[in-house]
């Protein structure tokens, strides 16, 4: 296991290239199961969660080939096993995304109940209820979900709450169902749109992706295709916040400014000068300390929960007092205790935290508790006097590709060493 050693760093400066989106590539990899031929995916990030997903597909019998620049070819034709085993699914909640494609394409699936970051309850009942509405017979026994169906049939499904993975699972399942499926109160996230665009490239008939109502006309067969994964908006936002807290100036490349509006608006409010192009964003703090900005997380297009921890760090170092409210997950303030150990002035009250900005933080040994909390601790360490040690960096590696190398090229004092 590794750890990161981070020293107080100068203002970040330079350019950084954004990788493909973790939250887009995982459902797309699962969707390759729907094809009758090989899919070739590009802009695939080199992440632990991606490796786990490819291992899961290979365990089922898929032939997977990795080419240059993280191009991944997936041929589902040799598949001979419809089980997603506990030892893989337990490490990554997104593994449940193979449930819909397996039962739609092969008529059966056995998928372990999922694991992943401990950031609150994320029940799978919405996935199960939706598949039942499409005609699947489902049972749960011994920690496994077993689903069977000769062929799924279209239905109208209204989600009780907005669910990204639930929307994705049923969207994939419905592509091969007989008749029309309508998903109401569907998730609108860009990663859902990217999955829909991939499925359309395979031959699916989908309309309304990116809105709260998605309509799918079932088809008899889908073909593999070539597809490039959308850039990661959360990685983009993380580096932009890094520049803001260090009072620097950076340009992020290979990104999509249009899917980051809520984050860019808050960065502008904090005092950042933001300039955008077709596939780049530049942030310049002109050497000034950021101003506090209050945020409330909510499903897209509102402020993303995956950027909440990073903005807690921004507010910890900003001028003024701010309130951060988390409405998506009920247990996503675990980074607060670690930031308090570094000198942050924060008070938690239920689902909100009041943050009073301080000029500097203090280096300390800290422990990552989940993926985005890990990123927030790196950002805090960049502006902490002395050295900060971040342990459990396997959380970071689940969602950020070569994060220490990218921060290094922006001038950060950061290195990875074995945690003996």
């Amino acid at each position: 296991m590794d750890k990161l050693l981070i020293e107080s760093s100068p203002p970040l400066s330079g350019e950084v290239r954004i990788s493909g989106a973790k939250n887009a590539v995982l459902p797309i990899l699962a969707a390759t199961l729907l094809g009758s031929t090989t899919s070739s995916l590009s802009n695939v990030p080199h992440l632990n969660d991606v490796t786990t997903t490819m291992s899961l597909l290979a365990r089922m019998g898929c032939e997977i080939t990795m080419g240059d620049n993280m191009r991944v070819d997936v041929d589902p034709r040799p598949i001979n096993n419809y089980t997603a085993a506990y030892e893989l699914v337990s490490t990554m909640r997104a593994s449940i995304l193979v449930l819909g494609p397996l039962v739609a394409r092969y008529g059966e699936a056995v998928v372990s109940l999922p694991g992943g970051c401990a950031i609150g309850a994320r029940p799978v009942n919405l996935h199960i209820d939706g598949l039942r509405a499409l005609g699947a017979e489902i049972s749960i026994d011994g920690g496994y979900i077993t689903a069977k169906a000769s062929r799924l049939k279209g239905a109208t499904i209204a989600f009780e709450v907005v669910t990204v993975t639930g929307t994705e699972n049923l969207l994939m399942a419905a592509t091969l169902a007989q008749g029309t499926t309508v998903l109401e109160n569907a998730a609108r996230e860009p990663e859902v749109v990217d999955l829909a665009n991939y499925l359309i490239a395979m031959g699916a008939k989908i309309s309304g992706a990116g809105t709260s109502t998605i309509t799918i006309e079932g088809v008899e067969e889908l073909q593999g295709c070539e597809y490039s994964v959308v850039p990661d908006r959360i990685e983009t936002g993380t580096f932009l916040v890094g520049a803001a807290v260090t009072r620097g100036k950076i340009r992020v490349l290979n990104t999509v400014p249009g899917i980051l509006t809520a984050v860019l608006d808050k960065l502008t409010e904090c005092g950042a000068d933001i300039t955008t192009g077709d596939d780049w964003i530049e942030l310049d703090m002109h050497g000034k300390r950021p101003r506090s900005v209050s945020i409330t997380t909510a499903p897209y297009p509102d402020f993303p929960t995956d950027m909440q921890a990073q903005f807690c760090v921004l507010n910890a170092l900003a001028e003024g007092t701010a309130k951060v409210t988390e409405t998506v997950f009920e247990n996503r303030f675990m980074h607060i205790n670690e930031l308090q150990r570094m000198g942050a002035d924060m008070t938690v009250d239920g689902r909100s935290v009041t943050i009073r900005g301080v000029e500097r933080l203090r280096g300390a040994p800290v422990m990552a508790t989940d993926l985005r909390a890990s990123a927030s601790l790196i950002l805090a360490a960049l502006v902490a006097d002395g050295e900060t040690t971040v342990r459990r960096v396997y959380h970071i590696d689940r969602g950020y590709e070569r994060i220490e190398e990218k921060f290094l090229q922006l001038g950060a004092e950061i290195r990875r060493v074995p945690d003996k």
Side-chain angles (χ1 to χ4, degrees):
M1 194 177 298
D2 294 339
K3 62 184 177 182
L4 292 175
L5 302 181
I6 306 167
E7 301 278 354
S8 179
S9 299
L12 296 187
S13 176
E15 295 182 340
V16 61
R17 186 174 181 82
I18 300 302
S19 301
K22 174 185 95 81
N23 290 338
V25 72
L26 299 183
I28 288 173
L29 282 168
T32 62
L33 293 168
L34 293 164
S36 57
T37 55
T38 300
S39 280
S40 183
L41 308 178
S42 57
N43 202 34
V44 176
H46 187 14
L47 305 171
N48 284 355
D49 277 9
V50 172
T51 303
T52 299
T53 303
M54 290 193 295
S55 297
L56 183 61
L57 296 178
R59 182 89 58 97
M60 294 175 185
C62 293
E63 290 186 0
I64 298 178
T65 305
M66 294 178 60
D68 295 335
N69 299 319
M70 281 305 289
R71 174 177 289 274
V72 176
D73 294 341
V74 182
D75 184 355
R77 285 172 290 188
I79 190 169
N80 55 13
N81 173 23
Y82 312 115
T83 299
Y86 171 77
E87 59 265 26
L88 289 175
V89 177
S90 62
T91 65
M92 185 185 68
R93 186 180 187 279
S95 300
I96 197 173
L97 288 168
V98 300
L99 180 62
L102 282 175
V103 72
R105 176 80 169 85
Y106 300 99
E108 60 180 294
V110 181
V111 179
S112 171
L113 291 167
C117 284
I119 56 174
R122 296 191 280 186
V124 300
N125 64 294
L126 299 175
H127 304 241
I128 293 169
D129 292 345
L131 287 172
R132 281 179 173 151
L134 294 175
E137 295 180 2
I138 297 181
S139 62
I140 302 176
D141 185 50
Y144 280 83
I145 305 166
T146 299
K148 294 183 178 180
S150 54
R151 187 180 182 188
L152 299 176
K153 292 180 171 56
T156 296
I157 300 167
F159 294 107
E160 295 176 8
V161 295
V162 176
T163 164
V164 174
T165 54
T167 298
E168 292 168 339
N169 228 337
L170 297 180
L171 172 62
M172 290 185 282
T175 58
L176 293 178
Q178 183 179 10
T180 301
T181 299
V182 179
L183 304 180
E184 297 178 348
N185 197 29
R188 301 165 59 187
E189 270 71 4
E191 295 79 16
V192 174
V193 176
D194 206 40
L195 171 62
N197 288 338
Y198 167 68
L199 293 169
I200 290 168
M202 296 178 80
K205 296 181 179 179
I206 301 169
S207 61
T211 75
S212 59
T213 301
I214 304 176
T215 302
I216 308 103
E217 301 285 345
V219 298
E220 293 289 334
E221 185 180 58
L222 296 175
Q223 300 287 331
C225 66
E226 293 189 2
Y227 194 78
S228 180
V229 178
V230 71
D232 197 314
R233 62 191 172 106
I234 305 302
E235 184 190 17
T236 299
T238 300
F239 280 103
L240 291 174
V241 172
V245 297
T246 61
R247 310 183 190 187
K249 175 183 178 181
I250 69 167
R251 177 175 289 205
V252 291
L253 309 174
N254 186 44
T255 191
V256 184
I259 61 176
L260 272 164
T261 301
V263 172
L264 296 183
D265 286 348
K266 286 297 178 179
L267 286 169
T268 299
E269 186 181 333
C270 89
D273 216 346
I274 303 285
T275 309
T276 62
D278 290 341
D279 61 355
W280 57 268
I281 303 170
E282 186 173 278
L283 179 145
D284 190 351
M285 289 301 296
H286 300 287
K288 297 179 181 178
R289 182 184 180 188
R291 298 188 296 267
S292 292
V293 288
S294 293
I295 63 168
T296 299
T297 67
Y300 190 86
D302 292 325
F303 194 90
T305 180
D306 280 352
M307 285 299 303
Q308 177 255 104
Q310 298 90 316
F311 269 76
C312 283
V313 174
L314 185 148
N315 282 313
L317 291 147
E319 184 178 353
T321 300
K323 186 175 185 179
V324 174
T325 302
E326 174 61 55
T327 72
V328 180
F329 295 117
E330 75 279 6
N331 192 26
R332 209 168 197 182
F333 283 145
M334 291 185 289
H335 49 283
I336 298 299
N337 287 339
E338 300 300 289
L339 293 173
Q340 288 172 329
R341 296 183 64 246
M342 298 177 70
D345 187 351
M346 300 174 163
T347 305
V348 177
D349 182 13
R351 288 200 167 195
S352 295
V353 55
T354 300
I355 306 172
R356 292 159 288 274
V358 298
E359 280 280 353
R360 299 287 295 180
L361 297 175
R362 300 184 300 272
V366 293
M367 190 170 294
T369 54
D370 62 71
L371 171 55
R372 306 307 173 184
S374 307
S376 74
L377 296 178
I378 292 176
L379 299 183
L382 296 177
V383 283
D385 293 330
E387 183 178 79
T388 298
T389 304
V390 181
R391 288 188 163 84
R392 290 187 180 175
V393 298
Y394 58 85
H395 286 296
I396 299 171
D397 295 335
R398 289 185 52 231
Y400 291 91
E401 182 178 39
R402 300 180 293 106
I403 191 167
E404 71 278 10
E405 295 177 30
K406 292 185 178 183
F407 272 115
L408 270 172
Q409 71 189 52
L410 295 173
E413 300 287 340
I414 179 173
R415 57 195 173 100
R416 181 184 293 247
V417 299
D419 191 4
K420 298 178 181 178

